[in-house]
Amino acid sequence: IMKRARQSLADWIAMRKQGMHFSRAWVTILTNENDVPGVVALSESLVRAGSIFPLTVLVSKRINATLRNQLYRHPGVGHVIEMADLSPTTDNDDWGLLHAFGLTQYSAVCVLSPQS
């Protein structure tokens, strides 16, 4: 299993460097810094499972640029996209899910939670 995961990661990195476009994606939403370890674990799990589709991370404006760059450099993360704040209140993060429906560059997405 580990050999397959390493090969999958190597293939994914090579495809990403070539600028390949994927028609499908895994999507997760990051609205606070406490969920960063969950996003990293999710990304690593998808790579270990041999997924060929990228993980797109939708981040709120509350996530600083340093964390965004670290996520983008993570091998399993394909895209990091900043999302506008749709919430009528500052304490409700559920509105971020609506952004997944706006990812028209993909023919299909699967939204996964970074929380356990």
Side-chain angles (χ1 to χ4, degrees), residues 9-93:
L9 178 58
D11 291 345
W12 159 246
I13 292 171
M15 288 187 285
R16 186 171 166 191
K17 285 181 180 177
Q18 293 172 5
M20 290 191 68
H21 173 72
F22 296 91
S23 64
R24 299 176 184 183
W26 303 104
V27 176
T28 193
I29 299 166
L30 181 62
T31 56
N32 66 67
E33 294 179 6
N34 294 333
D35 289 337
V36 170
V39 171
V40 170
L42 177 59
S43 174
E44 290 172 353
S45 295
L46 291 170
V47 169
R48 276 195 312 272
S51 174
I52 62 166
F53 301 116
L55 176 64
T56 296
V57 182
L58 301 176
V59 297
S60 74
K61 293 182 178 188
R62 290 177 268 174
I63 305 300
N64 67 51
T66 303
L67 276 177
R68 290 180 203 176
N69 289 333
Q70 288 173 350
L71 284 172
Y72 184 73
R73 287 194 307 268
H74 195 273
V77 175
H79 298 96
V80 177
I81 301 172
E82 183 178 300
M83 55 184 180
D85 186 15
L86 298 177
S87 175
T89 63
T90 57
D91 61 349
N92 187 346
D93 294 329

